[in-house]
């Protein structure tokens, strides 16, 4: 077993190379190192970020397994795949950190030398977990993540467990950072160096930069490291003015050195309904902001080390900036500092598994991220398509496909999302090589690679006329144990995907910086807390007949406190604030004559799945410019209102989900091009259109402009030039259409 002892004053690369080469030869590895590393970089190509290999743009399509073993290597290589990621077969790849400045790279060498031997022309992005080893946590117990309700005898386990380091621990960042420096140097000195394209930096629960406990009863992080980070955060925020801190926290005795992490009572107790009122105290919102900032501090710290030690040669990737998707967790669980992370100069790529809530057959399986924001900042988003095929164990979580055909439909749906969004993707097998072990899959993967390659010769841009804007930091002012914004995202995404027109997702900071292209409809899904600059940016949108859609409490919270008047100015409607709990909204189906029969029959009310929202807001003093589309089911008062504000239109909805048929009605009134009116899951980019059907039947697709239409999966030309076409599709089938002549 080879162990390296690191002296930071020198880089013993020659000696290390000789010793490592001997080890790899003894294990049967090929020891032929390139004099230079892989020239894999990011570049803008056809309107979207792409991987560039030796100056040639390549489709960012990967395969991800625990380890790329012989059979999969052979099949994926034959299919044309050139990019891979892995974590190791039996556990995880980590820093090999076995003692003070002592590192064991046997596992890493086995995996990467095996990759080089099996796939000598391919590139790998190994996923390296940054957790502290148990011996280190025992030596430095004060550096562990703390919990409001400390679990009994917390255990250390790779990937999860509660005995782990605080993300805010400076000692962990330093020591793990030194271990990462040594690992990067080891990789660059290894014979397999020219196969490694970058480092996928993993940390937290499942390696996804999530806190080590998702249990809202535990409430991380109450450690001393986090308390110090909170003090540093508020010192920056309040400019070192202790009097300003005391006014903001309504605490005459607090100092930057004596700040305390708020407990569960403070975090879960609202001042006005579910809201913390910062006019009374900034304590809880400041803590949550500091907690999220500490995570991004750590991400940037480790990404910077990779860039420095590799002279910028290695790419960096993390699981971060997820669209909130877990409604039962505490607000701290989700990635809230996404805007800052996307602006990091040290980070190249972000990845996330797509939604677990709506990935069944007939559902959208949509990206769980903000892909347009990622692209806007020159970074590559990679969708993690970890769909369990019918070959997965029957007891495996989220195994939804039962047959080969069903498996193919969900894998095709992922490809359609990748191509229409112009992003990257990896098909992930978490089973050590069983989920794709069938001839049909290998034939399909070869075709997917061919279509991905062809996509690089076409426009990869979007043609959306609908934008969804989110202010993720809004959750800092929510006092509920339930993550409200996650409920909103989960419920409303289904209907945005079925409304017949593509939509783009951005963070409110992108709008604030005037980075967005023009859209006809803006959906402000999560915007409970807005700054004055953000409010000003929204005001600029209120022109040219645009429609702005609001949910529940837009702008109710702000830096100076809660304000009904701010909501009224934002929505263009007079509102009444009511303390009684939220009730369902009843819609009059007669107002939407083209709504589907099932909506008229049983979707006449909505909002039952969303936990109680408080306070409720009631539109008032409605004149001829306003139309009431829905009312509170218990009082009959207006709850869903459309108002013509002259140069713009406003739609206020008291809760989610606003049904896809109502969205479609809004789109048509706003001049948005609707591709499909059947309520199927639509995906559309400039040169690709995809459908994943909810129902069987003849489907009509209307294009914005005449184009050639080629049916990808059936390999047939539908029309040489057309603006409208029809196809017969089965229930829960995926169709993908190329809006160009295919290459032979």
């Amino acid at each position: 077993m080879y162990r390296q002892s690191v002296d930071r004053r020198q880089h013993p690369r020659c000696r290390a190379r000789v010793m490592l080469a001997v080890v790899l030869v003894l294990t049967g590895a090929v020891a032929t190192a390139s004099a230079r590393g892989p020239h894999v970089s990011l570049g803008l190509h056809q309107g979207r970020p792409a991987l560039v290999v030796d100056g040639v743009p390549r489709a960012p399509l990967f395969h991800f397994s625990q380890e790329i073993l012989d059979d999969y290597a052979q099949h994926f290589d034959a299919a044309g795949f050139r990019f891979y990621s892995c974590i190791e077969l039996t556990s995880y790849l980590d820093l090999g950190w076995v003692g003070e400045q002592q590192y064991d790279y046997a596992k890493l060498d086995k995996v990467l030398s095996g990759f080089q031997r099996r796939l000598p022309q391919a590139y790998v992005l190994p996923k390296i977990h940054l957790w502290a080893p148990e011996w280190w946590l025992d030596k430095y117990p004060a550096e562990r993540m703390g919990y409001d309700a400390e679990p009994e005898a917390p255990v250390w386990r790779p990937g999860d467990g509660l005995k782990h380091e605080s993300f805010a621990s400076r000692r962990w960042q330093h020591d793990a950072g030194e271990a990462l420096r040594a690992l990067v140097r080891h990789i660059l000195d290894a014979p397999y160096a020219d196969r490694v394209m970058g480092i996928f930096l993993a940390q937290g629960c499942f390696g996804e930069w999530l806190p080590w406990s998702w249990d809202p009863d535990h409430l991380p992080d109450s450690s001393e490291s986090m308390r110090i980070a909170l003090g540093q955060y508020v010192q920056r925020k309040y400019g070192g003015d202790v009097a300003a801190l005391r006014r903001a926290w309504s605490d005459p005795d607090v100092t930057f050195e004596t700040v305390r992490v708020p407990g569960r009572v403070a975090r879960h107790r609202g001042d006005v309904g579910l809201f913390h009122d910062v006019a009374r105290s900034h304590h809880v919102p400041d803590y949550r902001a500091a907690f999220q900032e500490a995570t991004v501090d750590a991400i940037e710290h480790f990404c910077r080390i990779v860039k420095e030690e590799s002279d910028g040669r290695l790419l960096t990737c993390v699981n971060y900036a997820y669209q909130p998707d877990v409604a039962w967790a505490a607000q701290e669980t989700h990635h809230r500092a996404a805007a800052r992370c996307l602006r990091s100069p040290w980070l190249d790529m972000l990845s996330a598994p797509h939604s677990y809530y709506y990935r069944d057959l007939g559902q959208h399986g949509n990206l769980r991220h903000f892909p347009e924001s990622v692209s806007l900042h020159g970074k590559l988003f990679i969708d993690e398509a970890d769909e369990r095929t019918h070959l997965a164990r029957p007891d495996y979580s989220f195994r939804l496909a039962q047959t080969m055909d069903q498996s193919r439909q969900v894998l095709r749906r992922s490809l359609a999302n990748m191509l229409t969004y112009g992003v990257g993707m990896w098909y992930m097998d978490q089973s050590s090589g069983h989920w794709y072990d069938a001839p049909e899959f290998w034939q399909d993967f070869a075709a997917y690679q061919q279509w991905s390659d062809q996509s690089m010769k076409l426009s990869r841009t979007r043609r959306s006329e609908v934008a969804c804007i989110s202010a993720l930091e809004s959750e800092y002012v929510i006092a509920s144990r339930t993550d409200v914004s996650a409920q909103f995202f989960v419920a409303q995404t289904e209907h945005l995907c079925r409304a017949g027109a593509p939509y783009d997702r951005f963070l409110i900071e992108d709008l604030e910086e005037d980075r967005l292209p023009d859209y006809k409809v803006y959906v402000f899904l999560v915007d409970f807390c807005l700054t004055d600059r953000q409010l000003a940016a929204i005001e600029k949108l209120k022109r040219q007949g645009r429609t702005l859609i609001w949910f529940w409490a837009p702008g109710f919270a702000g830096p100076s406190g809660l304000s009904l008047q701010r909501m009224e100015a934002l929505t263009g409607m007079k509102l009444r604030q009511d303390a009684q709990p939220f009730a369902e909204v009843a819609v009059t189906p007669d107002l939407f004559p083209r709504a589907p029969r099932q909506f008229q029959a049983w979707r006449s009310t909505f909002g039952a799945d969303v936990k109680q929202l408080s306070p409720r807001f009631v539109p008032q003093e409605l004149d001829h410019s306003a139309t009431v589309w829905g009312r509170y089911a218990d009082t009959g008062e207006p709850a869903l209102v459309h108002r013509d504000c002259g140069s713009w239109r406003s739609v206020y909805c008291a809760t989610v989900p606003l049904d896809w048929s109502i969205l479609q009605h809004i789109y048509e009134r706003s001049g948005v091009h609707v591709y499909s009116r059947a309520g199927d899951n639509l995906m559309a980019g400039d040169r690709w259109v995809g459908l994943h059907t909810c129902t069987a039947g003849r489907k009509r697709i209307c294009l914005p402009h005449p184009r050639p239409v080629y049916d990808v999966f059936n390999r047939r030309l539908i029309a040489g030039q057309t603006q409208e076409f029809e196809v017969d599709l089965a229930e829960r089938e995926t169709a993908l259409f190329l809006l160009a002549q295919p290459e032979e």
Side-chain angles (χ1 to χ4, degrees), residues 593-604:
R594 287 195 295 168
R597 183 174 302 173
Q598 67 268 24
F599 175 71
Q600 295 184 14
W602 59 270
R603 290 301 299 268
S604 57

Side-chain angles (χ1 to χ4, degrees), residues 19 49 94 110 208 218 239 288 343 362 371 396 479 484 517 525 543 547 666 713:
M19 295 177 66
D94 57 26
K110 175 182 75 72
E208 298 176 82
H218 290 151
R288 287 173 171 161
R343 288 157 177 78
Y396 206 98
V484 173
L525 184 57
R543 56 189 176 86
T547 300
I666 295 170
F713 298 133

Side-chain angles (χ1 to χ4, degrees), residues 601-615:
W602 59 270
R603 290 301 299 268
S604 57
T605 63
F606 63 92
D609 294 336
V610 179
K611 303 300 180 185
Q612 286 190 342
L613 300 177
S614 177

Side-chain angles (χ1 to χ4, degrees), residues 25-40:
V25 169
L26 291 175
T27 59
V30 178
T32 56
S34 171
R36 59 181 175 83
H39 284 219
V40 182

Side-chain angles (χ1 to χ4, degrees), residues 405-649:
D405 180 67
Q406 290 180 353
S407 297
R408 297 174 86 178
Q409 298 308 323
V410 294
L411 295 179
R412 289 174 174 181
R413 181 179 63 193
S414 293
L415 179 72
N417 271 321
M418 171 192 170
L419 296 179
T420 56
Y421 277 98
V423 298
M425 177 180 62
W426 46 58
Y427 282 111
M428 173 184 271
D429 182 344
Q430 299 176 358
S431 72
S432 307
H434 302 296
W435 291 1
Y436 305 142
D437 192 14
E440 295 90 337
F441 288 138
W442 304 126
Q443 294 171 9
D444 285 352
F445 285 137
Y448 299 164
Q449 183 66 65
Q450 291 170 5
W451 291 114
S452 299
D453 290 341
Q454 183 164 350
S455 75
M456 301 301 288
K457 302 174 183 179
L458 304 167
S459 168
R460 300 170 65 224
T461 58
R462 306 270 289 167
R463 282 189 170 271
S464 307
E465 297 176 307
V466 179
C468 184
I469 314 294
S470 301
L472 295 183
E473 295 183 2
S474 290
E475 202 72 30
Y476 296 164
V477 299
I478 299 296
S480 172
R481 285 165 53 94
T482 299
D483 190 321
V484 173
S485 60
Q487 296 183 82
F488 276 43
F489 279 116
V490 169
Q492 194 58 55
T493 297
E494 176 193 10
H495 295 275
L496 287 165
C497 290
R498 296 181 62 187
Y503 72 102
D504 294 345
R505 279 164 283 185
F506 295 97
L507 300 174
I508 189 71
E509 291 82 358
D510 300 322
L511 178 65
E512 181 181 350
E513 295 171 0
D514 196 24
R515 289 174 174 263
L516 272 63
D518 288 336
Y519 294 88
K520 294 180 178 178
V521 172
Y522 293 82
V523 181
F524 290 89
L525 184 57
V526 173
D527 58 349
F528 319 137
C529 184
L530 298 172
T531 67
D532 291 342
R533 286 189 59 186
Q534 291 163 357
L535 291 168
I538 294 172
E539 285 300 313
K540 294 179 181 179
L541 300 177
K542 297 178 177 179
R543 56 189 176 86
Q544 298 178 338
R546 293 168 175 159
T547 300
L548 280 61
I549 302 175
W550 322 95
F551 291 91
W552 182 41
F556 183 53
S560 59
L562 306 178
S563 170
L564 187 65
Q565 290 71 33
R566 188 165 48 233
M567 277 185 66
E568 293 176 334
L570 201 58
T571 62
M573 299 184 195
K574 187 73 174 175
L575 297 164
R576 187 184 83 242
Q577 180 179 330
D578 198 325
Q580 64 180 310
F582 166 79
E584 291 184 71
V585 175
V587 177
T588 305
D590 294 344
L591 294 175
F592 307 98
R594 287 195 295 168
R597 183 174 302 173
Q598 67 268 24
F599 175 71
Q600 295 184 14
W602 59 270
R603 290 301 299 268
S604 57
T605 63
F606 63 92
D609 294 336
V610 179
K611 303 300 180 185
Q612 286 190 342
L613 300 177
S614 177
R616 75 164 69 178
F617 302 96
V618 183
Q620 301 286 293
E621 301 177 12
L622 302 177
D623 58 17
H624 65 279
S625 65
T627 305
V628 178
W629 288 352
R631 299 178 179 275
Y632 285 106
D634 57 348
T635 66
E637 293 182 295
L640 173 58
V641 175
H642 172 277
R643 182 168 184 261
D644 188 337
C645 300
S647 61
W648 64 289
R649 301 181 183 90

Side-chain angles (χ1 to χ4, degrees), residues 388-402 430-432 434-435:
R388 289 75 162 139
T389 72
H390 67 292
L391 299 180
R393 294 194 325 264
D395 62 339
Y396 206 98
S397 61
F398 295 98
R399 180 186 181 271
L400 303 170
Q402 305 299 319
Q430 299 176 358
S431 72
S432 307
H434 302 296
W435 291 1

